[in-house]
Amino acid sequence: MFQLSEHQIDIIYERLRQDKLKSVKLEQDLFDHFCCYMEEQMLKGENFEASYSKAMNAISPNGIKEIEFELYFIMNFNKQLTMKKLIFLSSFISMFLLSTGLMFKTLNWFAANILLFLGFTILFMTMILLVIYATQFLRHQTISFWLRSIAGVTSIALIAIGFIFRALHFSGANIIYGLGTIILNFIFLPLFFYQLYKYGFIKTNSTQTV
């Protein structure tokens, strides 16, 4: 059986280290897989670079980081499921309270402010859950995704806080509410609809090409 030289082993290890995997065990397992696969290819007559390229395409065609992300997803699946349930449940409750509170407010019924206050409070808590979920399970998203998400969470949080301040007659309510609206209208919405248009345009073009 063909054996890699010490120099070749060091090259493989250094190339894997460049991806800066957080799991040492995963890095070691991938290193063993690469070495074994490359030894088989070089036994067939392939040179070092060609065998490394084939190993990369066979083991991690979309990059080493994707393997780490998939492993993390599998290991934390139950946590993600629980977090998603909490987010969807709190979102439903907040929207229900807000819509009911707005109806009560329109009809001048009792407890409208209480319902709106509870709705915005739960909505604010939902935003916190979304931030926790994003930082734990969506680490590998693009910069545009993070910019849009941060703008959306910030705007909704400010609008919710502004409304709560207004309901409790605290000072600065209008400023906070207005700042949240500005971020929503001039940062989040343009990014959201631009990316929605871009994604839909790409999908349409790809469908027509096929």
Side-chain angles (χ1 to χ4, degrees), residues 108-169:
N108 295 320
W109 287 356
F110 175 73
N113 288 337
I114 296 175
L115 290 173
L116 290 172
F117 175 79
L118 290 175
F120 275 112
T121 302
I122 296 174
L123 180 62
F124 181 66
M125 293 172 62
T126 303
M127 294 302 103
I128 296 175
L129 289 175
L130 280 172
V131 171
I132 295 172
Y133 176 78
T135 53
Q136 289 186 354
F137 304 115
L138 301 176
R139 299 173 181 174
H140 303 284
Q141 295 291 337
T142 61
I143 295 176
S144 60
F145 170 84
W146 283 109
L147 182 60
R148 184 188 71 213
S149 300
I150 292 171
V153 170
T154 303
S155 63
I156 293 176
L158 288 173
I159 291 172
I161 294 172
F163 184 85
I164 293 171
F165 273 41
R166 190 177 183 85
L168 298 175
H169 304 288

Side-chain angles (χ1 to χ4, degrees), residues 188-204:
F188 173 76
L189 291 179
L191 284 173
F192 176 76
F193 283 105
Y194 171 74
Q195 291 170 6
L196 188 67
Y197 164 77
K198 185 177 179 182
Y199 176 76
F201 181 74
I202 293 173
K203 291 284 287 184
T204 303

